[in-house]
Amino acid sequence: MSPLPYTPSKQLQYHLSGRKLLETEIPFPAEWLKTCRQNGWIHEEKGISGEYPDCTCKRCGNQNPHLFAAYPCAHCGEMSIYCRNCIMMGRVSSCLPLISWTGPEPEFTPPHAPLQWAGQLSKGQQAASDAVLDALQHKKELLLWAVCGAGKTEVLFAGIEAAIKAGRRVCVATPRTDVVLELTPRFRQVFPEIKVAALYGGSPDRHLWAPLVVATTHQLYRYEAAFDAIIVDEVDAFPYTYDTTLQKAVQKAAKKDCARIFLTATPNEKWQQECQAGKRSHVMIPARFHRHPLPVPVMKWIGNWRRAFEKGRLPGNIEAWMKRRLSESKQALVFLPNIRLMLKAAPLFQALDEKIEWVHAEDPDRKQKVENMRAQKTPILLTTTILERGVTFPNIDVAVVGAEDEIFTEAALVQIAGRAGRSPAFPSGEVTFFHYGRTKAMLKAVRHIASMNEEARKRGLVDE
Ligand SMILES: [Zn+2]
Ligand SMILES: [Zn+2]
């Protein structure tokens, strides 16, 4: 196709290409849109197709009647239906269009050597990096199953570089904003000559066209047939696993012919079985970057701990465990099943040391409390599962109180155990599951970790 005749169209082209937007998300004069429309470069469709309750949101794919609602619409003067599932990104309604680009794709001339990174991959990482490169080059699907602390980001570099060099567009998506904020500067550093857009709620890059996009899975609601490669990090994390519209968003954002890489330390049971049966293409990194085995959790029975809490005391095992860490000044994370229990138990723990802190998802001081822990001002931090992923404290022990609670799935327990021993300077840490009856999830988690260590030994990826 011939190049676009003048600049305004080009700006619109970059803004719209690969996306599906509301008119209010297009910050250009209506005249520009009109010209492009006349050229046949614009596709418009109703935001919601079908009649309530059998309708579909054309942005997020929601089809659940409970997630639509009617409102008196100022635009058309009648009652209109809107989608509640993606309302946080602006209202998609039955009477307003979603606009997409059908004209030529933006031109992008890749730099000669996009990747500027002098680091070294471990043996385990190198094998995984080769598999990722192959999948990205040949547009295949691949699961990268890497233990917590394996160093999975570096494993993506070579593959992303090859894709960028081939003029392809790559998206790294993750369910969590924290991860977008952590990954983006790393990619910007190693790919200094290309634009890297970070997309999350309220991000300043949301209008930026970039060959490499790091986005929350939510942001992919706005994309359609945009990417030649999609890498989903923490594919097992909330809310992605439970929200099929997010999974659809990942599918929709991909071009027809697209490489797909899924990253996780804890694949779900179905995926694990498919891997074992040879039905799912995967590559495993069973060892940490620092070549020390993963700490294997120890299970300790503590009797009816809920009753003990009711009576205002800590089970003896836990008290002894706490006192030892406090006397040795060893920092620790203690996980509890929910906020209510944690708030009830907090004073019992704090009676041992008033500097003991607690944190949960709705805690307004969450960031500060995590900082205090990192600065070693807090000896022991009590937490709900919000800290099961993503946080790294160099030298800690980890305990789960009430490990039999159903919130502690195999994946949650493996992730929690993965908080210990992450630093090369302090590669070991103790992980204890305090429980009132062993569960399958606990046994599976212990087996999972032990089998990773075994695999790592077999492949010579750990030094004992
Ligand atoms: Zn929607
Ligand atoms: Zn309306």
Side-chain angles (χ1 to χ4, degrees):
M1 266 185 256
S2 59
L4 301 187
Y6 54 90
T7 348
S9 309
K10 209 155 204 172
Q11 283 187 35
L12 197 62
Q13 176 198 28
Y14 275 84
H15 187 76
L16 261 183
S17 177
R19 305 217 280 173
K20 211 172 194 180
L21 300 178
L22 295 163
E23 213 158 356
T24 49
E25 293 174 317
I26 304 175
F28 302 117
E31 200 56 32
W32 297 10
L33 204 58
K34 205 177 142 196
T35 321
C36 290
R37 222 178 253 130
Q38 284 162 355
N39 275 304
W41 293 333
I42 299 293
H43 174 74
E44 275 165 295
E45 65 185 320
K46 276 172 82 176
I48 291 168
S49 71
E51 291 297 322
Y52 183 81
D54 294 315
C55 46
T56 304
C57 170
K58 299 305 276 184
R59 180 167 68 186
C60 74
N62 165 35
Q63 293 182 313
N64 180 350
H66 301 296
L67 293 177
F68 290 100
Y71 73 113
C73 171
H75 174 74
C76 68
E78 288 177 30
M79 291 301 279
S80 295
I81 303 289
Y82 75 97
C83 174
R84 294 200 296 129
N85 188 54
C86 61
I87 183 72
M88 66 293 200
M89 309 183 78
R91 180 153 56 201
V92 170
S93 103
S94 51
C95 67
L96 290 172
L98 282 168
I99 300 171
S100 48
W101 180 260
T102 52
E105 273 194 52
E107 280 162 44
F108 162 65
T109 313
H112 179 64
L115 177 64
Q116 295 185 18
W117 183 64
Q120 278 281 322
L121 295 175
S122 71
K123 198 173 145 200
Q125 281 176 313
Q126 186 62 55
S129 174
D130 294 345
V132 168
L133 175 65
D134 178 68
L136 283 172
Q137 276 179 327
H138 300 102
K139 299 194 176 175
K140 293 194 264 192
E141 185 173 316
L142 178 75
L143 167 65
L144 170 51
W145 180 353
V147 296
C148 302
K152 56 194 159 115
T153 308
E154 299 89 323
V155 161
L156 304 175
F157 290 167
I160 292 177
E161 176 181 46
I164 298 285
K165 264 172 128 170
R168 294 181 187 160
R169 212 172 165 209
V170 181
C171 174
V172 179
T174 163
R176 305 190 312 130
T177 303
D178 294 358
V179 180
V180 174
L181 295 175
E182 185 195 304
L183 289 181
T184 306
R186 297 190 62 192
F187 285 125
R188 285 192 177 138
Q189 195 181 12
V190 300
F191 295 108
E193 290 174 47
I194 62 166
K195 279 194 179 122
V196 179
L199 302 180
Y200 50 90
S203 122
D205 292 352
R206 64 188 178 280
H207 300 315
L208 180 73
W209 189 95
L212 179 55
V213 170
V214 186
T216 59
T217 41
H218 273 106
Q219 293 294 318
L220 296 185
Y221 285 152
R222 288 205 180 98
Y223 285 77
E224 186 171 65
F227 301 104
D228 305 282
I230 296 194
I231 298 163
V232 188
D233 191 12
E234 303 220 334
V235 69
D236 65 304
F238 181 83
Y240 183 79
T241 28
Y242 300 96
D243 188 342
T244 52
T245 68
L246 289 177
Q247 295 162 25
K248 280 187 210 160
V250 168
Q251 297 297 340
K252 179 167 71 82
K255 287 186 186 166
K256 227 182 202 161
D257 193 16
C258 179
R260 287 186 180 79
I261 314 276
F262 299 106
L263 270 66
T264 176
T266 44
N268 63 34
E269 185 139 8
K270 182 165 169 269
W271 281 23
Q272 287 190 33
Q273 283 166 358
E274 286 172 4
C275 288
Q276 271 145 22
K279 287 181 189 154
R280 177 169 287 277
S281 157
H282 73 287
V283 60
M284 198 186 264
I285 313 181
R288 285 179 162 168
F289 182 75
H290 60 41
R291 297 184 60 86
H292 292 270
L294 301 161
V296 180
V298 174
M299 294 187 262
K300 277 205 176 120
W301 191 82
I302 46 168
N304 192 340
W305 53 275
R306 284 174 204 262
R307 189 182 297 156
F309 284 175
E310 299 283 342
K311 288 185 176 165
R313 58 178 182 81
L314 288 176
N317 283 349
I318 295 181
E319 191 173 330
W321 189 93
M322 295 287 293
K323 282 183 170 162
R324 215 180 100 204
R325 268 80 207 162
L326 290 167
S327 71
E328 291 172 0
S329 301
K330 175 92 186 250
Q331 277 188 298
L333 275 180
V334 176
F335 288 82
L336 287 125
N338 59 54
I339 300 177
R340 195 179 51 80
L341 277 165
M342 190 176 69
L343 296 182
K344 185 176 263 176
L348 308 178
F349 285 96
Q350 284 168 329
L352 301 172
D353 185 328
E354 58 187 14
K355 285 197 294 225
I356 290 173
E357 277 281 10
W358 46 265
V359 67
H360 58 78
E362 275 104 73
D363 192 336
D365 301 327
R366 174 177 159 185
K367 247 185 154 171
Q368 188 56 48
K369 286 176 176 176
V370 170
E371 274 318 305
N372 288 348
M373 181 72 181
R374 203 161 272 145
Q376 302 187 8
K377 289 179 193 158
T378 305
I380 291 173
L381 184 60
L382 312 177
T383 177
T384 57
T385 52
I386 52 151
L387 294 189
E388 84 179 29
R389 290 164 191 268
V391 291
T392 298
F393 305 110
N395 186 18
I396 56 166
D397 286 338
V398 176
V400 179
V401 174
E404 78 280 7
D405 192 280
E406 62 182 12
I407 190 130
F408 296 117
T409 58
E410 174 193 349
L413 291 169
V414 170
Q415 291 283 351
I416 286 170
R419 298 308 104 207
R422 295 184 63 111
S423 152
F426 306 99
S428 59
E430 283 177 36
V431 180
T432 310
F433 294 164
F434 290 111
H435 66 92
Y436 183 36
R438 294 177 184 198
T439 60
K440 268 191 189 150
M442 289 162 59
L443 295 167
K444 277 190 196 161
V446 173
R447 225 177 285 145
H448 185 151
I449 293 167
S451 73
M452 285 292 169
N453 284 339
E454 201 178 309
E455 184 69 27
R457 279 181 194 113
K458 239 191 277 173
R459 293 200 212 163
L461 300 177
V462 288
D463 312 310
E464 297 294 330

